[in-house]
Every structure is written in structure tokens, then in C-alpha cells.
Amino acid sequence: MEASTVRVGWIGLGTMGLEMARNLQQHRARTGQTPITVYNRTHAKCALVAEHGAHVAVSPASIAQTCTVVFLSLRDDQAVKDIVTQLLDSIALETRDEPLLIADLTTVHPSTTQWVLHKISQANTKVRFCQTPVWGAPPAARSANLVYVTSGSNSDSALLAEISVPAFAHTTIACDDPVRAAKFKIMGNFMIAGILETLGEAMAVAHESGISRELYLEFVKAMFPVAPILGYAHKMVDEDGEASKTQVGFNIHGGMKDVGYAIDVAKSAGLDLPVAELAHTHLQWVLDNGDENWDWSSLAFALRKQ
């Protein structure tokens, strides 16, 4: 399959998915490539990509019937299982000569990736599956500055890299095994959670000891001027430390899910993640005392209030 002529489908237009799909369609339109076809449960969101030339599908089944590569960007593990089941059921009802490549960008538990691979093997169809998560917050998705992980065979990884860069990502990291890719993504998110925990603790001490959060932010700016660290530090300081309630890139629900998955991955390897367990406790505090829709950097509130 050639990236320029492959028929690309996209299922899921949430906060990240919409930005990625829109960038992908705009890139393909600019470069004379075939348009993508989009589907979303809330149909109105499809218009935001269709206005740039994308086709709109009426169901996941129609995506499966017309596309050769389908990207999934979904809310959670159950949504991935539901959509994969619908795609496989649709393919089972038709005579298909072309293979279908499913690339799942959703952050899922490794057991979900294993479930999908088993489901596909049982279906005995011409379907291949790659776990292909991304790193980056919504602003990075908006500016096509994501890090994209590919998996699967060398040819599938190469195809996905050609489709994604520079359309919605600035670089790719190849990871051959889909289950390994799921673990890779989770442990990357754990490192970000660890940074949040450390930042939150440091900001709390800076405030209570008289250094001030604002002055500590100057240290972060000087020593760690990179988007994730600096961005989260600002959320803990701006608006008198209230910005993490309103500037939401990744909410408490998603943070708790991913940190919990990291703890599971560590346990499966016979290890503990003390920092993850601390972060999970502080995220739980915000869930109990604040709002699950706050940004996950709001775990700093647990450190300030306790």
C-alpha cells in the first residue's frame, strides 16, 4: 500500500482525535493525497473535518467496508473492544480482497491489546492490528507536534510513519510488538505523572516555606524549558495556582486510569512503583474533594491541602 493513495478511515473525534484527524486531512489535501473518511459517535463533530474535504461515514461498518487503514482514537478500553468487534463483524459479512490495517492510538491496558489480537486471530480475516499510541497534549496535537509510536511488521510501521509524519506527528518511534507498544505508552505516561508528583511537592514546599510558587517557576523555566514540564508548572502557578482547574489537557479520570495501568505493568514484572502509587493517591484526593474534569496537574492541590 502507498501512503498517498491508501484509503484512510478515522474513528473517534475526541479532544485529541479531532485535532489529529483534521491535521491529517489538511495535509492530505495539500499534498494531493486521497481524502480520509471519518466517523464519530457524536456525528456533528465530523463536520469539523469534512469542511477540509474529508468524507463522513454513517457507521464503523462503512469505514471497514471502504478503507484499507483505519485509525482509532477512542475514550477507553471498552470503546476499543466495541469498535473492533463492529469492524470485524462487518468484514465477516463481505467478500474482501484487500487487507485491513487497524491502528489504535488509544491508551489501553496491555490486556486489551492482547484481547484484540486474540479476537482478530479467531475471526480468521485479512485484518492486521497495530497498537500505535501518541505522546503529547492537545496543543501538540493541534500543531502536529506529537510523538507517534508504531508497531507491527516493518512494512506496516513504515506505512503508518509515512501517513502520520508530518501530518499529525513530528516523529515516530518503532516498537515491533503491539502489546509492548501498549506497555511503552503507559510507562511514558508514568514518567509524566512522576514529574507532576515532583512538581506538586516542590511547589507546595516553595509556597509554605516562603520561596513562593512564582519564584520556583523561574527555576523551572531556566532549568527545564521543555513543553510538558514547563506547561504543567505554569498550571500549578498561574491564576494563583488555579489554572489546573480551567486549562485542561488531560483530566483526573484519564490520569488515574493511566497511573493505575502503570502500577499494573510494574506488578506484572514483579516490581513496585512508589511514585505512581503516591500520584494515584493524590489524584484520588482531587477526585474526592475536587472535580474529575480538572487537569491531572491539579494533584498539586492534594499536597497543598493535606
Side-chain angles (χ1 to χ4, degrees):
M1 290 187 281
E2 294 290 333
S4 60
T5 57
V6 69
R7 299 190 303 279
V8 177
W10 193 286
I11 299 177
L13 298 174
T15 303
M16 294 288 288
L18 174 59
E19 302 293 353
M20 288 186 281
R22 183 158 45 197
N23 283 339
L24 178 58
Q25 173 53 37
Q26 289 176 326
H27 173 75
R28 294 180 74 83
R30 284 194 304 269
T31 54
Q33 301 181 50
T34 55
I36 70 172
T37 302
V38 296
Y39 171 81
N40 191 67
R41 187 178 57 178
T42 306
H43 202 64
K45 281 193 170 183
C46 294
L48 300 174
V49 189
E51 67 185 10
H52 298 287
H55 301 309
V56 178
V58 297
S59 67
S62 62
I63 290 260
Q65 291 160 7
T66 58
C67 296
T68 47
V69 175
V70 178
F71 290 92
L72 309 182
S73 180
L74 303 170
R75 176 181 171 81
D76 55 28
D77 297 54
Q78 188 56 53
V80 170
K81 290 180 179 180
D82 291 344
I83 291 297
V84 167
T85 298
Q86 291 180 55
L87 294 175
L88 293 178
D89 287 348
S90 171
I91 291 171
L93 297 175
E94 64 169 313
T95 302
R96 186 183 184 92
D97 294 325
E98 294 178 296
L100 174 66
L101 175 61
I102 301 173
D104 181 25
L105 298 101
T106 315
T107 302
V108 296
H109 196 281
S111 63
T112 296
T113 305
Q114 291 171 328
W115 182 93
V116 171
L117 292 169
H118 180 67
K119 184 84 172 176
I120 290 172
S121 68
Q122 284 188 315
N124 194 27
T125 62
K126 295 182 178 180
V127 176
R128 302 191 305 279
F129 179 80
C130 300
Q131 196 68 54
T132 61
V134 296
W135 279 300
R142 200 170 300 120
S143 60
N145 201 33
L146 298 167
V147 175
Y148 182 51
V149 177
T150 63
S151 67
S153 67
N154 289 339
S155 58
D156 285 343
S157 282
L159 175 63
L160 293 172
E162 190 177 352
I163 292 171
S164 62
V165 178
F168 63 81
H170 73 85
T171 192
T172 62
I173 301 174
C175 183
D176 54 354
D177 177 61
V179 176
R180 188 177 173 212
K183 294 177 181 178
F184 186 32
K185 163 62 171 174
I186 289 165
M187 295 314 298
N189 281 13
F190 157 67
M191 186 170 180
I192 297 170
I195 291 169
L196 291 179
E197 178 65 28
T198 303
L199 270 175
E201 292 179 17
M203 290 291 186
V205 174
H207 178 71
E208 295 297 332
S209 68
I211 298 170
S212 84
R213 289 191 292 267
E214 291 76 13
L215 184 57
Y216 197 80
L217 177 60
E218 295 304 313
F219 159 74
V220 176
K221 288 179 181 178
M223 294 298 294
F224 307 106
V226 293
I229 299 175
L230 190 54
Y232 285 125
H234 268 291
K235 290 183 182 183
M236 293 180 184
V237 174
D238 293 352
E239 301 173 25
D240 194 27
E242 300 286 304
S244 57
K245 295 180 180 179
T246 56
Q247 299 175 20
V248 182
F250 192 53
N251 66 20
I252 294 295
H253 173 79
M256 290 191 70
K257 173 179 73 72
D258 287 5
V259 172
Y261 285 177
I263 293 170
D264 284 350
V265 169
K267 285 182 178 177
S268 70
L271 298 169
D272 294 322
L273 285 181
V275 173
E277 291 169 1
L278 268 177
H280 196 274
T281 297
H282 294 143
L283 289 167
Q284 183 65 56
W285 188 95
V286 176
L287 186 63
D288 294 339
N289 297 277
D291 191 321
E292 68 173 5
N293 294 312
W294 291 353
D295 189 81
W296 68 329
S297 60
S298 64
L299 64 76
F301 283 104
L303 295 152
R304 284 190 238 162
K305 303 294 184 180
Q306 285 179 344

